[in-house]
Amino acid sequence: MSRGNNNDTKKYTQEFKDSIIKAAIETGNIALVARQNGLSKELVYKWVRQNRESNREPKANIKKSLDNSNVKNLEA
């Protein structure tokens, strides 16, 4: 049997993927979240990576811009 058979591919809803991605990011433990949900860690890593790539703005930049706006408010 070939591994490339698309009939064996499972489809997951975006809502399910989002919940897995959120749990993986919040816990910081992708392998644990994958194991708890019966998924391969490689699949969860892929979903998290794709999510990060689609949200191009790094979290550090968001925090920095918030900090700068707070400084401006304090100076006023």
Side-chain angles (χ1 to χ4, degrees):
M1 216 187 277
S2 74
R3 294 192 78 183
N5 187 349
N6 286 337
N7 294 333
D8 296 335
T9 303
K10 290 185 179 181
K11 299 288 183 186
Y12 298 99
T13 65
Q14 190 60 49
E15 182 179 342
F16 177 75
K17 289 179 183 180
D18 290 343
S19 69
I20 297 297
I21 292 165
K22 182 179 178 185
I25 292 171
E26 286 178 355
T27 64
N29 192 335
I30 291 175
L32 175 65
V33 172
R35 190 168 47 252
Q36 289 175 336
N37 291 280
L39 302 167
S40 73
K41 64 182 179 201
E42 291 81 7
L43 179 60
V44 178
Y45 276 112
K46 176 182 172 182
W47 290 350
V48 170
R49 184 182 69 245
Q50 288 173 339
N51 181 68
R52 287 183 181 146
E53 289 172 355
S54 68
N55 297 326
R56 294 271 180 213
E57 188 169 307
K59 294 185 184 303
N61 289 343
I62 293 170
K63 184 177 183 338
K64 185 176 179 182
S65 65
L66 290 174
D67 289 344
N68 287 342
S69 66
N70 289 336
V71 169
K72 289 178 185 174
N73 289 338
L74 291 174
E75 291 174 347

